[in-house]
Amino acid sequence: MIESFSIEYNKRGDLDPLKYRLDKYSPKNTLIQVFSGKPDLADIEEVLEDITTTYPGVPVIGTTTAGEIMDGNVSDGKIIISFLLFNDTAVQSIFINQNDDLALAGRTIGEAFASLDPRAVIVFGCGIKDKRTIDGSPLIAELQRKLPQTVLAGAQAGDNGAALSTFVFTESGITGNGVAAAALSGEHLIVNNQYDLAWIPIGKSLTITKAKGRRVYTIDNQTPYDLYKHYLGQAVADGLPLSAVDFPLMIERDGITMAVHAMGVNDDGSFDYIHSFHTGEQLKFGFCHAGLLALSAQETYEHLSEQPVEAAFMYSCVSRKWILGEDIDVEVCPVGQIAPLSGFFAYGEYFSLPSGKSFFFSQTMTVLGLAEQDRSIPPNIENGQFCPDRTESRQLKTLKALHRLVETSAREIEEINTELFQLAQKDSLTGLYNRRYLDAQFALEIKRAGRTRKPLSVILMDVDYFKLYNDTYGHVAGDNCLRGMALEVKKILKRPVDLFARYGGEEFICVLPETDGEGALHIAEQIQKSIQNLSFIHSESKVSDFVTVSMGIITARRVDNSMTQDFFIKACDAKLYEAKAAGRNCVMSGEL
């Protein structure tokens, strides 16, 4: 069983009363984590010296923060020390004093820990370099490659939003340009890793039109600066990049939706982002949906409760804390109901899935649950009611309502845009595809048939004596007739690949991929019979008492480069002319 507790450290002597608790455990079965809201080197040196003197030989990993978490409560500018005391789990720390080559740092840590076969590795990396947030992807990717079965957790150091310098440390030293990590090894250790984003995409899709690594030069052929100014306003543009933290770019990678924020603005209007992009990638702006946070907190609680949890650590992005303010306990409090909880707010989060996929997140909340006993934890929360004494602030209620308004409006706009797009492809009268869509798809089907060497058939049909029908019964009746015919033919063409379009006036066309002449003739006869069965009375027709159609069919057994859309249409039209010359209400077919 794991014993876990935290204290607020203020001065020398604060650690002494705890010695008796740690004396019961071997140093190799103990881990001390330090979350320092005081980013001054002198403060860190003092607390680290006190820890190593009071508890010699105990592994330590520490970091500066942008906010601290202890017992489910959030603070700023404090030093929180968390103690993990294991019965069976062995702990080993490592200190890397460089981050010029993060892949090398990850490889070094992985090779050092490989023989330990760790169940989990907690990683703290420095978060700022040259006044820019560090992209921890190479570090975490290489570490995961070396330790594919190990759960990775942790985050990058913060400095309360100053973006000047950050520190990480172990019992071996302190660095402003490196990594601290601890391996947890033991056959009885149960590890549960969870994450929550709660940022959702909004607005239209945007395309990266020029990028090189983490530097993006143009999005939708305009500089990121101009893009942010256009969508978020001059005030946001003037405060970039920090002012845009509430509206990161959303992108999906490896099946995971990720939020990516800007780290710096360059003189040419390009932006440096925390992740790399590729030209052609599509993304959207995102925003933190406050209404989803409570739901996500419940889901996180439920997922964590699926396995035993005796100690929990939260490594969360500082942007969540900035946006929610005092309401940040909406997501912190529920996890604190499961087990003793500590952690910090960071400049990027390290995370791995059970599948072995590793991620460097931003804007995300991650939680690491640990236990040594495989036993169920009685739930402390009933019916999903977290922190019952808490009353939602007016700000959070307003945010939730605002975000619901934005989400609903965005969804409705998306539906309208989808409908408009469909209308641009569809004939307004019949609902069939129009000539514009036909031209594009017909050309694709000809190319596909040429590649696959499969037959391609085309049916061109014309309503017999339709002008007389309109003159006799009126244009409303004529429109109803065409609409009814379209519905009937759509019932016959059941394959998704079959293309049925209104060609113009009373003419229709069917493009039938992988259909030979016999198959096309069979379909045409079905269409002919189906239209006759509609029984649209046509007293002025010279071939029937009801509306009928004449059809011309052309089948290409093998399509070659000389066969164009016009080529097929002219050949079909010739067969249609033969059908009309033969008395109408009939089908004429031919093969190329």
Side-chain angles (χ1 to χ4, degrees):
M1 182 175 179
I2 298 173
E3 184 177 356
S4 177
F5 59 92
S6 301
I7 67 164
E8 180 184 338
Y9 180 87
N10 292 296
K11 62 184 186 306
R12 289 183 179 273
D14 287 349
L15 300 175
D16 294 339
L18 305 173
K19 285 196 66 174
Y20 79 96
R21 297 180 72 171
L22 270 69
D23 285 344
K24 294 183 294 183
Y25 295 86
S26 167
K28 71 177 183 179
N29 299 122
T30 303
L31 175 63
I32 295 176
Q33 294 183 73
V34 182
F35 311 115
S36 176
K38 298 178 180 179
D40 292 333
L41 184 58
D43 291 321
I44 298 169
E45 289 174 337
E46 180 179 338
V47 67
L48 184 58
E49 182 187 358
D50 198 3
I51 292 172
T52 54
T53 300
T54 308
Y55 311 119
V58 173
V60 178
I61 57 171
T63 177
T64 54
T65 77
E68 308 79 54
I69 301 168
M70 184 180 82
D71 298 332
N73 296 311
V74 176
S75 63
D76 287 296
K78 296 182 179 180
I79 298 177
I80 304 299
I81 301 179
S82 171
F83 298 85
L84 261 178
L85 310 175
F86 298 99
N87 282 325
D88 303 305
T89 301
V91 182
Q92 182 171 315
S93 67
I94 188 171
F95 178 73
I96 304 293
N97 194 19
Q98 70 86 16
N99 58 9
D100 292 325
D101 188 339
L102 282 173
L104 175 60
R107 190 158 56 250
T108 302
I109 296 170
E111 290 171 350
F113 287 163
S115 62
L116 305 176
D117 191 22
R119 293 287 178 90
V121 171
I122 301 174
V123 184
F124 296 157
C126 287
I128 295 294
K129 191 179 186 72
D130 300 325
K131 298 184 179 180
R132 300 288 174 96
T133 307
I134 293 172
D135 177 6
S137 301
L139 169 71
I140 202 75
E142 191 65 20
L143 179 55
Q144 186 77 85
R145 192 178 71 83
K146 290 292 183 180
L147 302 173
Q149 305 302 316
T150 301
V151 172
L152 305 182
Q156 292 191 161
D159 64 350
N160 297 322
L164 296 175
S165 61
T166 58
F167 297 96
V168 296
F169 49 94
T170 71
E171 71 278 13
S172 300
I174 305 169
T175 179
N177 296 283
V179 183
L184 310 180
S185 308
E187 60 179 347
H188 297 112
L189 183 64
I190 301 167
V191 183
N192 192 337
N193 213 16
Q194 301 293 329
Y195 82 98
D196 174 45
L197 182 59
W199 251 262
I200 65 171
I202 186 174
K204 76 181 189 91
S205 294
L206 308 168
T207 302
I208 301 290
T209 45
K210 183 181 179 183
K212 185 177 182 180
R214 293 194 295 165
R215 178 163 293 190
V216 175
Y217 293 91
T218 60
I219 303 175
D220 279 0
N221 294 310
Q222 56 184 316
T223 67
Y225 178 88
D226 290 335
L227 187 83
Y228 280 75
K229 178 181 175 182
H230 175 71
Y231 285 105
L232 302 177
Q234 186 66 56
V236 171
D238 290 342
L240 288 168
L242 190 61
S243 59
V245 71
D246 296 357
F247 300 95
L249 298 179
M250 308 294 294
I251 191 166
E252 184 174 311
R253 287 183 175 162
D254 296 318
I256 299 290
T257 300
M258 301 176 66
V260 183
H261 66 263
M263 302 185 305
V265 181
N266 303 304
D267 293 339
D268 59 2
S270 64
F271 278 18
D272 292 331
Y273 285 89
I274 198 168
H275 282 284
S276 297
F277 285 107
H278 303 288
T279 298
E281 283 190 303
Q282 285 202 319
L283 38 80
K284 290 185 176 182
F285 278 112
F287 75 103
C288 180
H289 195 304
L292 289 178
L293 286 175
L295 294 175
S296 298
Q298 181 172 352
E299 290 179 2
T300 301
Y301 169 82
E302 291 171 352
H303 289 317
L304 282 170
S305 299
E306 290 173 357
Q307 295 186 46
V309 179
E310 296 168 341
F313 299 94
M314 181 175 289
Y315 310 114
S316 184
C317 183
V318 66
S319 62
R320 303 172 83 88
K321 174 170 160 282
W322 287 343
I323 290 171
L324 290 175
E326 64 181 26
D327 295 306
I328 187 62
D329 60 349
V330 166
E331 62 180 6
V332 174
C333 182
V335 179
Q337 303 298 305
I338 299 176
L341 173 69
S342 59
F344 74 104
F345 291 94
Y347 290 170
E349 303 76 56
Y350 306 130
F351 187 84
S352 67
L353 293 169
S355 64
K357 283 279 186 182
S358 62
F359 298 92
F360 174 62
F361 285 137
S362 61
Q363 321 288 109
T364 305
M365 181 268 284
T366 68
V367 180
L368 175 68
L370 301 173
E372 283 188 323
Q373 287 193 352
D374 190 1
R375 61 184 178 84
S376 299
I377 303 296
N380 294 323
I381 304 171
E382 297 181 359
N383 302 320
Q385 296 299 313
F386 304 131
C387 312
D389 294 334
R390 186 188 184 284
T391 301
E392 285 189 354
S393 71
R394 181 177 178 181
Q395 174 187 334
L396 182 59
K397 290 179 180 178
T398 302
L399 276 175
K400 290 172 72 173
L402 175 61
H403 292 168
R404 179 179 174 84
L405 171 63
V406 171
E407 181 184 32
T408 303
S409 299
R411 184 176 63 251
E412 290 176 349
I413 291 171
E414 190 74 23
E415 290 171 356
I416 291 171
N417 287 338
T418 300
E419 185 177 348
L420 288 173
F421 178 72
Q422 291 176 344
L423 288 174
Q425 297 179 329
K426 299 291 183 69
D427 171 59
S428 60
L429 173 64
T430 62
L432 301 178
Y433 289 115
N434 57 24
R435 281 286 296 274
R436 179 182 179 185
Y437 183 81
L438 169 70
D439 291 343
Q441 291 301 115
F442 200 166
L444 290 176
E445 292 301 339
I446 291 173
K447 289 181 180 179
R448 186 178 292 115
R451 290 197 308 271
T452 62
R453 298 187 177 183
K454 300 286 187 180
L456 178 65
S457 293
V458 180
I459 303 174
L460 190 62
M461 68 183 76
D462 188 31
V463 182
D464 295 326
Y465 303 110
F466 189 69
K467 183 178 185 304
L468 292 175
Y469 186 89
N470 266 340
D471 292 343
T472 304
Y473 302 103
H475 288 282
V476 173
D479 290 348
N480 290 336
C481 176
L482 295 177
R483 196 178 294 113
M485 289 173 56
L487 291 172
E488 283 300 305
V489 177
K490 285 172 71 175
K491 294 176 184 177
I492 295 169
L493 302 177
K494 295 183 173 65
R495 298 188 309 170
V497 294
D498 292 337
L499 176 61
F500 181 37
R502 188 180 183 191
Y503 192 66
E506 66 273 18
E507 285 189 314
F508 298 89
I509 188 169
C510 302
V511 180
L512 309 172
E514 300 186 20
T515 304
D516 59 18
E518 184 179 348
L521 182 59
H522 177 67
I523 290 172
E525 289 171 346
Q526 283 185 287
I527 291 172
Q528 188 177 38
K529 183 178 178 180
S530 177
I531 289 174
Q532 285 178 331
N533 289 340
L534 285 173
S535 300
F536 282 113
I537 296 174
H538 192 349
S539 61
E540 298 301 313
S541 172
K542 299 175 183 179
V543 294
S544 172
D545 292 333
F546 303 102
V547 169
T548 59
V549 293
S550 298
M551 287 181 274
I553 304 173
I554 282 295
T555 298
R557 293 182 181 180
R558 289 185 64 176
V559 176
D560 60 42
N561 293 334
S562 67
M563 296 179 182
T564 63
Q565 180 177 335
D566 288 342
F567 179 83
F568 275 96
I569 295 296
K570 288 178 181 178
C572 260
D573 203 34
K575 288 298 174 182
L576 178 59
Y577 181 80
E578 289 181 22
K580 291 180 179 180
R584 308 199 185 212
N585 190 24
C586 63
V587 181
M588 291 293 178
S589 63
E591 292 191 350
L592 302 174

